[in-house]
Structures are given as structure tokens and as C-alpha cells.
Amino acid sequence: MMIMESPDNLVIVIFGASGDLASRKLIPAIFSLKSQKIMPEKYAIVGVGRTKISDEAFRTKMKEAIVTFSEEKASDQILISDFTKDLYYHSIEDYSGRGYSELKEALLDLDERYGIGGNYIFYLATPPSMYEIIAVNLSKEGLTVTENGFRRIIIEKPFGYDLESGRNLNKTLHELISEDQIFRIDHYLGKETVQNLLVTRFANGIFEPLWNRNYIDRIEITSSESIGVEERGGYYDSAGALRDMVQNHLLQMVGLTAMEPPSSLDANAIRNEVLKVFQSLQPIKEEDVSKYVIRGQYTGSLVRGECITGYRYEKGVAVDSRTETYVAIKFFINNWRWGGVPFYMRTGKRLPTRVTEIVIHFKQTPHHLFQRTMVKLSGNQLIIRIQPDEGILLKFDMKEPGAGFNVKNVDMDFHYKDLADIWVPSAYERLLHDVMLGDSTLFSRDDEVETAWKFLEPIQKAWAKNPSIKVFGYPAGTWGPEHANDLIEGDGITWRYPCKNLADEELYCEL
Ligand code: BG6
């Protein structure tokens, strides 16, 4: 097993500590890092929130969170108590002003008691509308000054809601702190399988020579979810699939799939290449939006015997909402490697199954020797499965045993689960540990975020200006609006309909 580096001593301050993110993801992730013995020798965690609770009550709440949400199903009470003894809670009257000097005093006191040496990470697990005001107040108290140790701020997407607000957020943050103090979390980049895209492409000699317009016919990226908006209707109705998934997770996957080999594994070397991909995205003109972008919204239906509520009847959603819960986009990347290769990407809620995958469709052979068999050859596909049943599948044609030359499409598959004894950290573990080490490779940089918004801007504008661009309904549990097929269909091609299991595929399959 690889020896992981231990970070320097530090205090982690979680704003919004009584919220869902802290209990479901952050505290269980830090607990897991502690169990793996890769937390710093000395550290303290301070939850900050408006609810008034004691340190003890916070510890009890976080113990429950660890038992409920920890991926390893933590059951060792001694280990959990040993972890929670370093948790503290500080209630703040109001994020926008009062209470920051008391917070500073509390932090300095802890810093001294633990012998930390001035390193702080501030995780803003609050609604995004609070990011700027919290950063301003931390800065006013001198808590973002790096003289006596590092000071880092972590924020979660959405980073603005369009190009202008995305730029403004960056601008405000840059007036207070430098870019290398900002860690913008895109939890997809914390997924092992997303990072493995780099290894698959750049550690193997066999793929890279084929990874271009000469051999690749098209690329399909799917991130489907079977769940709906759950308790997040209020947030989601003002976001929609384009902001919630495409601006960040899907475009980051496009970046890693399409980028040039970086000169090194340095954070900026990798992010520079991803940025170049974003800069090469062929802008979709406002007047072409309905041709290249299909949006949809789920309607109520019966899925596997269960009555599923339509999006407009979800809690927090307007009854006449036109927010998209599904989006499919056809686009091109204008550079030498990808010129003319269509990319198809789609994401949606309440689709048949939860799958994220990238499908590389290779071109057909130039001469169809075996056409007489009347079998339509499907061409080679490399399927990189991000989740679930993480792995890689190569589809290729083989001779069916027996007389003649009957051709059959077969699978060669590798599943991560076959690698025994491998510790697969959760996305948040990996990312939090990276922030502690100051490694920003897997975090979105300011210019990447802005360029991604720039690509989406004409789509957002066209939708906002032009109500005649349809929002197609699709019954919950189906693969989205039928119109999304028009984007890809032609010459006999269709979307791939993946299943939970990597090697299976069928129209509507959940095994
Ligand atoms: C989040 C989105 O960023 O990603 C959610 O806000 C979505 O709407 C989630 O459900 C999907 O993440 P994962 O890891 O389950 O694919």
C-alpha cells in the first residue's frame, strides 16, 4: 500500500456545520482520514453555525453522523470518541458581520492549546450566497493572512450562476486572497475513476495513438441519476441540470477526456491543459441552441411499481417551473486533435439508473470484409465507467465459432472491485486531504470556471430570452425526452443505454 503523506498541523473550520454536507460528507471523511492515520499529528475541527449548541452536543451529533454516513460503517465507539474529542463548536450570530472577532479569539486559543502554528482551512459549507461575506469578514479579522502559516478557503459549486456572477465571485475573492488559497471543490474530480482517466490515457501506450479525430468517430458522456431532486427542490429549481451538473462535473470529464498530455503532474500543468480544451469548445450560437441542446423535465410516472412524483410537484419547486432536470448537448472541440468529432453529453434526474460513463466510439474499419454475414458491425467502443461497477470495458468483434464468418460483438472488461485490498477513498476524503497538503490539482481554477460559464452563456441566454424553446416532458424512469435521440440519431447510431452492471446494456435496465 502506498504511504500517504501526513499534512502539517492545522485547524479546520467548517462554516455551516449544522448542515447536511458537514454531517453526511465532511465529518465522516475526516474521520476516515484519521482512521487511516493520515491526519496531521495535531489538529482541531471547529464547526461554526448559527444554531446555538454546545461542544458536547456537536460531538454527539457528529458521532451519530459518522455511524450513519461513514463509508466504512464505523462501529468502533472508542475510535469515534477519540476522534470527536478534537471537535468544537462556535455559534455565530450572523455570518454577515457580528461574531467574527470572538471566532478569531476562539481559534487563536485552540491554536495555542494544540500547538498548531497558525495553519487554517476554512470550509464554507454554507449556501453560496454567503461565500463572499464570510471571506470578507475572515479577511477583516486578518484570518486570511498567510504570514504565520497557511490560510485556505474551500468553496463548493455553484461558483456563480452565469458568466457575470462567476466572474464577480472570483473578483471579490481575489481582492481578499490569492488564487492559490482558494480550493473550489468539484467532487467528481475526487472520484478515483475520474482521476484514472489520466492514468488510462497517459500511462498506456496503446490508447494515445488512437485518441484523436483519425480513429474516433464520436464521444458520448452520460451522467444519469435515478433519484429526483429529493429535499433540494428549492435550490434545484433555481439551478437546473445545466448549472448543477454540466457547468462543473460533465465539463471536467470532457476536459480530462480531451486534453493534451500535460508536461508534468503539476497542478497547473494539468489545469492548463483542461483550460485549453474549454477554450477550444466551439461556441453554440444562441440561434442554434434548440438544434444542439435538448432540455427536459420529468413528469410523474409509475416506476417499478412505485408512484413517482413529477418535478413540478416536488417540494420547493414552482408548479409552472421550466427548470430542466435533463439536458443533452451536442458540441465540437475546435482543435487539431478533435476537429469534426461530435461530443454528446447528457445528464438527468429520474432516469432509469444511476450511471456515469464515457464512451469512446472508434471508427469502423475502412473496408467491411464481413458484410455478407448481414450483421451490422458496431465498431469498437471503449467504455470508461465512472460509477457504479467502476471499470473499463472494451467492445470488439470476434468470429462466432462454426462455419462461415459470423461476427459477434464481445466484451473485455476490467472491474475495480477485482483489485482486492485496495483502499478507495471517498471523493471528499481525497479532496480534503489534498487541501491539507496544499495540492490544488483536483480543484477548479478561476479561469476554468469562467471559461466553462462562457461556453454555457449562449444556452442560458437563449433559454432565458426565448420561451418558445421547448422544455420536453419525460416520464420519470425513462431515458429522457425522445427529442434527445434526434441529436445523436442518423446513420444508425443511438445513445448507449447503460445498466448498473458495466457489461450489460439494454433499453431500460436496472438489474
Ligand atoms: C451534485 C449535484 O454536485 O452531484 C447533485 O448537485 C447530484 O444534484 C450529484 O445529485 C451527483 O453526484 P454523484 O457523485 O452521486 O454522481
Side-chain angles (χ1 to χ4, degrees), residues 314-327:
E314 299 273 21
K315 206 167 101 211
V317 173
V319 283
D320 57 351
S321 170
R322 286 172 61 80
T323 298
E324 76 290 354
T325 59
Y326 174 99
V327 63

Side-chain angles (χ1 to χ4, degrees), residues 214-338:
N214 296 324
Y215 298 97
I216 292 179
D217 181 69
R218 63 189 188 281
I219 292 185
E220 210 183 312
I221 298 180
T222 295
S223 187
S224 73
E225 294 183 88
S226 48
I227 55 168
V229 290
E230 315 235 279
E231 298 304 309
R232 301 161 71 226
Y235 147 76
Y236 195 89
D237 209 34
S238 60
L242 195 72
R243 292 190 181 99
D244 187 51
M245 293 291 289
V246 177
Q247 195 273 345
N248 33 75
H249 310 325
L250 269 79
L251 282 176
Q252 283 292 344
M253 288 193 285
V254 170
L256 296 176
T257 307
M259 71 195 257
E260 294 302 313
S263 55
S264 71
L265 277 188
D266 174 74
N268 276 331
I270 293 179
R271 296 187 300 175
N272 287 346
E273 296 306 334
V274 171
L275 175 67
K276 280 192 224 160
V277 173
F278 291 177
Q279 288 167 334
S280 312
L281 291 167
Q282 182 175 303
I284 297 175
K285 294 196 193 107
E286 266 183 65
E287 58 270 29
D288 288 337
V289 164
S290 42
K291 190 166 148 208
Y292 290 105
V293 186
I294 299 295
R295 58 176 167 166
Q297 190 186 79
Y298 61 82
T299 56
S301 106
L302 198 65
V303 181
R304 289 184 280 276
E306 195 192 335
C307 252
I308 303 293
T309 311
Y311 176 70
R312 290 182 179 182
Y313 302 97
E314 299 273 21
K315 206 167 101 211
V317 173
V319 283
D320 57 351
S321 170
R322 286 172 61 80
T323 298
E324 76 290 354
T325 59
Y326 174 99
V327 63
I329 309 182
K330 175 179 181 178
F331 62 96
F332 293 89
I333 297 177
N334 279 343
N335 62 20
W336 275 59
R337 188 185 281 267
W338 297 114

Side-chain angles (χ1 to χ4, degrees), residues 162-172 450 453-454:
D162 59 12
L163 179 58
E164 195 190 341
S165 53
R167 274 186 183 147
N168 287 341
L169 174 62
N170 283 340
K171 192 165 161 277
T172 312
E450 289 180 22
W453 279 125
K454 200 167 169 199

Side-chain angles (χ1 to χ4, degrees), residues 78 107 110 232 318-319 337 363 448 500-501:
I78 299 179
L107 295 180
L110 270 181
R232 301 161 71 226
V319 283
R337 188 185 281 267
K363 286 188 173 165
E448 287 177 83
K500 201 152 89 178
N501 300 331

Side-chain angles (χ1 to χ4, degrees), residues 51-64:
T51 324
K52 286 194 169 47
I53 52 168
S54 65
D55 288 343
E56 238 1 275
F58 182 58
R59 286 177 192 141
T60 308
K61 196 173 167 214
M62 292 304 114
K63 272 184 195 164
E64 285 161 14

